[in-house]
Amino acid sequence: MDCPGGYVIPALDMARSVYAKGLKTIVQTGDGCHSSCSLIFLAGNERVANGVLGVHQISGSDDPSVTQTVISEIYRELVQFNTPSYLVSRMLRTPPDDIYIFSPEELEQNSINVRAGDGSEIPHLLAVETWMRKDWLVGVS
């Protein structure tokens, strides 16, 4: 996966599909998965970030009610994806105009990377299109 982020609703839809199909996700060395891309990455039943994984708060709406609704939807999906609370905490504490980049040690020590029982490399099975380049909440009704 190599994407700077984009719309949150399509990213959640893609993440649900990845999760439902039991796909593996990977950020290859030299690639970066930021913002809404991380939601898709976290949906992988096996997931490994050898590249850069970055998260932050959502942005794009002046309506606190809409923002809260979307945050609750994101949270519900992240729980279903077995996302570590460490990552969720970092996401919610990082301002939308900033990005929190996880170190390789954080990815391993906090169970963000999840591998098959044998620890083998995961092949790159899912590419995220870079059309997801807009603010997270743009287009939310």
Side-chain angles (χ1 to χ4, degrees):
M1 302 181 72
D2 187 23
C3 179
Y7 292 107
V8 72
I9 300 303
L12 283 174
D13 289 342
M14 292 173 73
R16 289 181 191 112
S17 293
V18 167
Y19 182 79
K21 295 179 186 316
L23 298 176
K24 302 171 185 178
T25 56
I26 188 168
V27 180
Q28 296 182 358
T29 303
D31 289 343
C33 179
H34 301 95
S35 191
S36 61
C37 178
S38 67
L39 300 174
I40 302 164
F41 169 79
L42 292 164
N45 75 332
E46 294 179 47
R47 56 188 188 234
V48 175
N50 292 322
V52 176
L53 182 66
V55 298
H56 64 148
Q57 296 173 12
I58 64 172
S59 64
S61 176
D62 294 328
D63 182 345
S65 178
V66 171
T67 301
Q68 187 62 37
T69 299
V70 174
I71 289 171
S72 67
E73 187 174 342
I74 291 168
Y75 182 77
R76 181 184 66 226
E77 298 303 329
L78 292 178
V79 168
Q80 182 171 355
F81 303 155
N82 198 27
T83 304
S85 59
Y86 180 83
L87 183 143
V88 176
S89 175
R90 287 291 180 190
M91 179 184 288
L92 295 175
R93 289 187 292 150
T94 303
D97 59 347
D98 197 1
I99 192 87
Y100 184 87
I101 304 296
F102 294 96
S103 70
E105 295 78 21
E106 286 175 299
L107 293 168
E108 297 301 329
Q109 293 170 358
N110 295 290
S111 301
I112 298 168
N113 283 345
V114 176
R115 293 180 177 81
D118 63 1
S120 62
E121 280 293 310
I122 297 173
H124 181 65
L125 296 180
L126 181 68
V128 175
E129 297 296 327
T130 57
W131 59 266
M132 295 176 26
R133 294 182 185 263
K134 303 291 180 188
D135 287 341
W136 280 39
L137 294 176
V138 173
V140 173
S141 57

